[in-house]
């Protein structure tokens, strides 16, 4: 009997050691009353930590890009940058790639505020490699440009043609080796169609084409830190979901659908890639164990979740809410 009790106690301790945990650390920003017609300008649409986790860069819905100091919890507005829809960040070089309000594509150094103009025109999406040497931009409906970011003369080194218009996002793996484009179309009688094409930057044709089926579209498309997996959110019949694929085989590792929220607006891989965190319009923050295929943490906030970001060390998870605050949580992903 005593041996059985010892075994059960040991088992419970192991479960607590093996599980991921979240704990509130502090808040950035002042709470505002969310609007029903549209999101507040100060709600963070995108966020990313810098290399050592001491700064958090965020783009508000109004286009203003700010930098939060994690220690002092003070923010500064980054130059006169007003980003239109998206930005991308290179952790290794502390640079931003921004589509500005005038549709110019600009590379901005946060160290000295130096700007480099790359191009003008209607570029739908963009992404940067961690070391800041490569960028990808979607141009028009069916082109993805690969840019070599030479300090002297940045230039297009390659162009990929996509099967469908790149409507739903574009991302570059951390090492700059893989590109994923989330493409979509709508045809009478067929409805919405969304596919993700993945290229190795050295090949001419996609190495993987992932068919998501008849879904309305996605908010997020992202590689795992080691570029072995790809995650997207999904939307069908007014309900959202998430999917994770193994890139090499195209095998689905995690498939969840039927969430109460219309959109799952935020996704983030933990630094090890063991967990995926999702945040949605119905205020649900969920941590998914990809190997187990199940949710291991489920928290509900007072308002919707717009963006998520992990610090590189994995110490923090930032959660941007519709009340214009950013909640900083201590992250403990054991066995990461």
């Amino acid at each position: 009997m005593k041996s059985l009790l010892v075994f059960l106690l040991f088992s419970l301790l192991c479960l607590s050691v093996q599980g991921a945990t979240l704990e509130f650390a502090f808040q950035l920003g002042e709470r505002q009353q969310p609007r029903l017609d549209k999101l507040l300008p100060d709600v963070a649409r995108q966020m990313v930590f810098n290399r050592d986790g001491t700064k958090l860069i965020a783009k508000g819905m109004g286009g203003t890009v700010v930098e939060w100091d994690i220690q002092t919890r003070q923010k500064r507005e980054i130059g006169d940058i007003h980003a239109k829809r998206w930005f991308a960040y290179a952790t290794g070089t502390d640079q931003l790639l921004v589509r500005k309000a005038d549709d110019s594509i600009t590379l901005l150094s946060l160290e000295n505020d130096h700007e480099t103009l790359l191009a003008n025109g209607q570029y739908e999406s963009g992404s940067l490699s961690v070391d800041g040497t490569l960028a990808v931009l979607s141009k028009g409906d069916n082109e993805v440009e690969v840019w070599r970011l030479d300090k002297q003369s940045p230039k297009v080194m390659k162009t990929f043609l996509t099967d469908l218009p790149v409507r739903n996002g574009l991302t570059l793996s951390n090492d700059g080796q893989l590109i994923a484009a989330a493409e979509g179309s709508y045809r009478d009688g067929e409805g919405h169609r969304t596919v993700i094409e993945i290229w190795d930057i050295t090949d001419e044709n996609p190495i993987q084409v992932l068919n998501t089926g008849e879904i309305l579209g996605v908010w997020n498309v992202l590689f795992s830190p080691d570029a072995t997996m790809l995650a997207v959110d999904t939307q069908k019949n007014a309900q959202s979901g998430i999917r994770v694929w193994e890139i090499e085989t195209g095998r689905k590792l995690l498939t969840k659908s039927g969430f109460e929220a219309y959109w799952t607006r935020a996704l983030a891989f933990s630094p090890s890639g063991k967990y995926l965190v999702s945040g949605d319009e119905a205020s649900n923050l969920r941590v998914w164990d990809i190997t187990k295929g199940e949710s291991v943490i489920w928290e509900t906030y007072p308002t919707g979740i717009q963006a998520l970001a992990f610090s590189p060390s994995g110490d923090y998870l930032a959660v941007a809410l519709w009340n214009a605050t950013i909640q900083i949580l201590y992250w403990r992903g054991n066995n990461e």
Side-chain angles (χ1 to χ4, degrees):
M1 183 67 178
K2 184 178 179 180
S3 298
L4 178 60
L5 289 174
V6 171
F7 173 78
L8 290 175
L9 179 60
F10 178 76
S11 298
L12 289 173
L13 288 173
C14 286
L15 286 174
S16 66
V17 168
Q18 291 173 4
T21 61
L22 288 171
E23 180 184 347
F24 176 77
F26 54 88
Q27 174 180 299
L28 299 176
E30 297 297 325
R31 184 177 289 105
Q32 302 176 34
Q33 183 63 38
R35 292 176 56 174
L36 297 179
D37 55 342
K38 64 179 181 179
L39 294 184
L40 296 164
D42 291 336
V43 173
R45 179 186 176 95
Q46 291 174 272
M47 299 186 297
V48 64
F49 280 92
N50 70 343
R51 179 166 46 190
D52 60 9
T54 59
K55 301 290 196 303
L56 179 70
I57 300 99
K59 186 194 84 67
M61 294 298 298
T64 301
V65 181
V66 300
E67 181 183 77
W68 288 95
D69 186 296
I70 296 302
Q71 185 174 9
T72 66
R73 302 176 199 177
Q74 300 298 309
K75 71 174 179 180
R76 73 174 182 96
E77 185 172 330
I78 297 176
D80 61 351
I81 293 291
H82 287 273
K84 188 173 182 179
R85 292 197 58 185
W86 59 266
F87 74 16
Y89 178 70
T91 310
T93 56
D94 203 26
Q95 290 178 302
L96 283 179
L97 181 70
V98 180
R99 177 182 169 190
K100 298 174 73 172
D102 62 1
D103 289 327
S104 63
I105 307 300
T106 298
L107 191 65
L108 172 69
S109 170
L110 298 190
E111 183 180 357
N112 55 24
D113 290 336
H114 177 73
E115 292 187 31
T116 302
L117 176 65
L118 296 188
N120 285 293
Q122 293 294 325
Y123 287 88
E124 188 72 17
S125 304
S127 186
L128 275 175
S129 62
V130 166
D131 64 6
T133 61
L134 292 175
V136 288
L137 297 168
S138 63
K139 182 180 181 182
D141 278 344
N142 298 87
E143 291 186 7
V144 172
E145 294 179 348
V146 181
W147 284 71
R148 175 70 65 183
L149 300 181
D150 229 307
K151 287 186 178 180
Q152 302 303 321
S153 57
K155 60 183 178 182
V156 178
M157 56 178 285
K158 198 166 192 176
T159 300
F160 293 102
L161 298 179
T162 64
D163 184 42
L164 299 175
V166 184
R167 302 290 191 210
N168 299 303
L170 181 69
T171 190
L172 188 61
S173 61
N174 285 347
D175 61 5
Q177 191 64 33
L178 298 178
I179 301 167
E183 308 159 22
S185 69
Y186 177 84
R187 297 186 180 93
D188 290 338
E190 294 182 12
H192 293 276
R193 183 184 170 211
T194 301
V195 301
I196 294 99
E197 289 188 289
I198 302 174
W199 291 269
D200 186 297
I201 201 167
T202 60
D203 294 337
E204 297 299 326
N205 298 311
I207 61 171
Q208 199 64 258
V209 179
L210 305 171
N211 191 344
T212 67
E214 189 182 340
I215 66 171
L216 180 59
V218 303
W219 273 76
N220 306 272
V221 52
L222 64 156
F223 287 106
S224 60
D226 64 359
T228 61
M229 296 178 287
L230 187 86
V232 302
D233 61 283
T234 64
Q235 206 287 345
K236 185 176 181 181
N237 299 329
Q239 293 180 314
S240 62
I242 55 175
R243 294 184 190 176
V244 178
W245 289 272
E246 183 179 59
I247 293 172
E248 184 178 3
T249 63
R251 179 170 62 99
K252 291 179 185 175
L253 301 177
L254 182 65
T255 303
K256 299 293 178 181
S257 59
F259 298 168
E260 61 174 314
Y262 193 86
W263 288 111
T264 293
R265 295 202 175 202
L267 290 178
F269 277 104
S270 66
S272 72
K274 176 178 171 60
Y275 298 99
L276 181 74
V277 184
S278 63
D280 63 36
E281 294 179 342
S283 311
N284 297 303
L285 178 74
R286 300 181 73 170
V287 178
W288 302 88
D289 186 313
I290 297 171
T291 302
K292 295 179 179 179
E294 62 184 32
S295 173
V296 293
I297 294 177
W298 189 344
E299 298 287 345
T300 302
Y301 281 87
T303 186
I305 298 169
Q306 186 67 22
L308 297 166
F310 273 101
S311 62
S313 65
D315 292 335
Y316 294 120
L317 173 65
V319 182
L321 302 180
W322 286 1
N323 62 13
T325 67
I326 299 173
Q327 305 298 310
I328 304 296
L329 310 178
Y330 291 119
W331 165 257
R332 299 291 182 268
N334 294 317
N335 291 340
E336 278 264 277

